[in-house]
Amino acid sequence: ELEDGLDEAFSRLAESRTNP
Amino acid sequence: GGVGMPMGTFVPPKTLWLPAMKGKGLEIMGTFARRAGVIQMEMTLTNKAMSVMTDFAIQFNRNSFGLAPAGPLQVPTPLSPNQTIDVSLPLNNGGPVMKMEPLNNLQVAVKNNIDVFYFSCQYPISMLFVEDGKMDRQVFLATWKDIPNENEAQFQINDCHLNSDAASNKLQGSNVFTIAKRTVEGQDMLYQSMKLTNGICVLTELRVQTGSPTYTVSLKCRAAEVSQCVFQCYEAALKN
């Protein structure tokens, strides 16, 4: 569950950096 | 370009550190390498004087990361006129610290039976990237968030023709570790970490746009002054 959360967090980070 | 080692570590080509004119006939070419976790100062000494050279010794001025010789400079003496010898000096980071400008500058004194000679050289900061610099993913996310935006530096690398996986592999040879990769709108975003011998951690985001030779590197570090030197290592590792 933690791993899924981290995967999701990196996706959000990448998304936020591309579309701030 | 430099010589690629089996592990992929980038070793810059040797450059002229002490011209014979300034060394009363002693010429020193040198570079730095990190081999199996040990920083090495690799030098080629040439005797361009008309007499033999003996009694070599080396000393560093205090420097930003406390680099110091881990032992004496081993030169089989005497060094005859016209003789050239390669020597390798292991270093540690237990020496006295003083911030240098640029940060990676090293002032060196080399002595022989003729005189004492001084020169400055610059080491790639990647020599200080330790083998266990891969940050835990959760720690990376928390640290990235925690480091203020003012501490973020952004650089571009032009004319780079590797894809993101090849770039990741090349950087890993210099102890730059990819923690996560995401693709957003045709851009590969690599999240990477490295740790310096003095414990400073650097977090980066490397953006590779498919079909574009320009990479963007964003660096976050609490000690923001290291960013420029880290960027130089990215450029050297990826372009060689």
Side-chain angles (χ1 to χ4, degrees):
Chain A
E1 201 170 299
L2 172 67
E3 288 303 305
D4 289 348
L6 293 176
D7 282 341
E8 178 56 32
F10 272 107
S11 297
R12 280 201 305 273
L13 173 61
E15 186 69 45
S16 72
R17 300 273 302 170
T18 309
N19 302 302
Chain B
V3 180
M5 296 304 292
M7 290 291 286
T9 306
F10 173 68
V11 180
K14 282 180 180 156
T15 56
L16 184 61
W17 285 348
L18 181 71
M21 285 261 288
K22 286 189 174 176
K24 295 188 179 173
L26 174 64
E27 182 192 88
I28 303 178
M29 310 249 326
T31 188
F32 295 89
R34 188 179 179 92
R35 303 189 192 281
V38 179
I39 307 166
Q40 304 275 356
M41 189 175 189
E42 300 184 341
M43 292 177 283
T44 300
L45 310 182
T46 304
N47 181 354
K48 295 189 170 178
M50 294 175 74
S51 57
V52 296
M53 292 178 178
T54 59
D55 305 321
F56 285 90
I58 193 164
Q59 209 171 349
F60 296 173
N61 196 0
R62 48 186 69 207
N63 55 80
S64 306
F65 297 96
L67 283 180
L73 179 64
Q74 307 271 6
V75 183
T77 54
L79 191 63
S80 308
N82 290 321
Q83 194 183 348
T84 288
I85 192 148
D86 290 329
V87 293
S88 192
L89 178 71
L91 311 182
N92 63 35
N93 64 321
V97 173
M98 180 175 72
K99 192 175 170 185
M100 300 297 287
E101 183 57 49
L103 210 60
N104 56 339
N105 198 47
L106 184 65
Q107 295 175 333
V108 181
V110 170
K111 160 199 160 314
N112 63 12
N113 59 315
I114 297 171
D115 208 343
V116 183
F117 310 104
Y118 300 91
F119 61 88
S120 287
C121 53
Q122 286 165 23
Y123 48 90
I125 208 171
S126 55
M127 297 300 129
L128 308 174
F129 295 169
V130 297
E131 285 62 27
D132 66 343
K134 186 166 189 174
M135 196 177 262
D136 173 82
R137 297 200 306 156
Q138 194 170 8
V139 174
F140 182 99
L141 287 162
T143 310
W144 182 275
K145 208 170 161 185
D146 201 41
I147 295 175
N149 289 338
E150 305 88 83
N151 280 32
E152 180 174 336
Q154 203 168 76
F155 302 92
Q156 292 205 321
I157 302 174
N158 299 311
D159 298 319
C160 206
H161 298 279
L162 303 167
N163 65 30
S164 61
D165 288 340
S168 176
N169 286 336
K170 260 198 152 174
L171 288 165
Q172 184 156 336
S174 294
N175 293 334
V176 174
F177 299 98
T178 300
I179 289 168
K181 175 184 164 182
R182 292 292 180 276
T183 306
V184 181
E185 297 175 5
Q187 284 187 119
D188 285 342
M189 326 266 284
L190 302 182
Y191 292 95
Q192 302 176 315
S193 73
M194 63 229 76
K195 188 166 81 177
L196 276 60
T197 46
N198 63 357
I200 289 177
C201 291
V202 183
L203 288 69
T204 65
E205 175 194 77
L206 179 64
R207 287 193 205 198
V208 181
Q209 175 89 47
T210 311
S212 163
T214 303
Y215 287 9
T216 304
V217 193
S218 305
L219 301 104
K220 276 190 144 189
C221 181
R222 292 188 204 282
E225 62 268 37
V226 305
S227 296
Q228 176 73 38
C229 290
V230 173
F231 163 68
Q232 287 166 1
C233 293
Y234 263 70
E235 201 167 39
L238 293 172
K239 286 191 154 188
N240 284 283

